[in-house]
Amino acid sequence: MFLVKDTIEQRDELIKSLEDLDTAVAVVIAAAHFEWTLRRCILALGTNPTKEIKDEEGALYKCCGLDGYKDAWKEEVKNQTGENLAEVVSSWEEVRKAFELRNRLVHGSGGSTGKEYGRDRIDVLLKSARELTDYAEKHGKKIYGNNIVRKEKRE
C-alpha cells in the first residue's frame, strides 16, 4: 500500500480518499500508517544500531501494541531526546481509542464503524503521525524516503 519513498502528504491523501469509500478500511490503514511512522521514529532516533533494535534482544523485536511501543520508545529514544512518547504525541489517549477501534475491526469483534466516529479516529491517527514525523525532523532525522541505518551506538 505504501512505499518508503512516499511522503506523509501522499499517505494522508490516500487515507483521506478512502474515508467515504469504506471508513473501517481507512481506520485500519491509518493505524498501519501511524504504527509504521512510530517504528521508523524509534529506529531513526534510537540509541542502539538499527540492526540491534530489530534483532531478538532489541526493543522492536516482536514489539506490538501501544504499550509495547511506549516501552521501546523509552528504551531507545528517551535517552536521546528526553521525552516520553506520550509527551510527543499530544493526543495519546485518543490514539488508544483509535487502536481499540482498529483492534475490533481487525480481530472481528466489531465489523464496522460509523462514519463520524471513524473519521475522528482517522484524524487523530494522521495528526499523531504528523507529530512524530515533525519530532524526528526537529531532531535532524528524516523517516520518509530513505533507509534508516545506524551502525554505531549513540552516546
Side-chain angles (χ1 to χ4, degrees):
M1 168 121 308
F2 296 121
L3 301 172
V4 171
K5 69 178 184 146
D6 292 343
T7 65
I8 192 168
E9 292 80 14
Q10 290 169 315
R11 289 168 176 244
D12 287 356
E13 184 178 319
L14 176 61
I15 293 164
K16 288 298 218 176
S17 74
L18 295 171
E19 280 182 344
D20 288 328
L21 191 63
D22 191 328
T23 307
V25 169
V27 168
V28 173
I29 293 172
H33 166 57
F34 172 81
E35 191 169 359
W36 182 91
T37 302
L38 177 52
R39 289 180 72 86
R40 298 276 294 181
C41 281
I42 292 169
L43 289 170
L45 298 170
T47 301
N48 290 302
T50 53
K51 186 176 186 309
E52 288 181 22
I53 294 172
K54 295 184 274 186
D55 282 349
E56 283 186 29
E57 300 295 319
L60 287 178
Y61 185 75
K62 292 189 178 181
C63 179
C64 64
L66 293 178
D67 288 335
Y69 285 112
K70 275 180 81 173
D71 292 343
W73 183 280
K74 186 176 182 182
E75 182 179 334
E76 286 295 332
V77 179
K78 187 167 188 229
N79 294 338
Q80 295 298 316
T81 67
E83 293 176 271
N84 287 313
L85 182 56
E87 294 173 299
V88 175
V89 176
S90 66
S91 302
W92 184 253
E93 289 309 312
E94 292 301 311
V95 169
R96 281 194 178 283
K97 290 178 186 175
F99 265 78
E100 288 170 8
L101 175 58
R102 173 251 180 233
N103 292 342
R104 286 195 312 272
L105 294 169
V106 168
H107 299 295
S109 62
S112 191
T113 183
K115 283 198 182 291
E116 188 174 327
Y117 186 79
R119 281 188 174 134
D120 289 347
R121 303 294 79 78
I122 292 165
D123 289 345
V124 78
L125 289 166
L126 296 181
K127 174 183 166 236
S128 298
R130 173 73 61 176
E131 288 175 332
L132 288 167
T133 301
D134 292 347
Y135 188 77
E137 288 177 359
K138 178 178 108 177
H139 289 279
K141 304 297 177 189
K142 295 185 91 173
I143 61 167
Y144 294 90
N146 62 338
N147 289 325
I148 298 171
V149 178
R150 184 178 44 269
K151 296 186 185 251
E152 302 293 325
K153 184 173 182 166
R154 266 185 252 236
E155 298 303 325

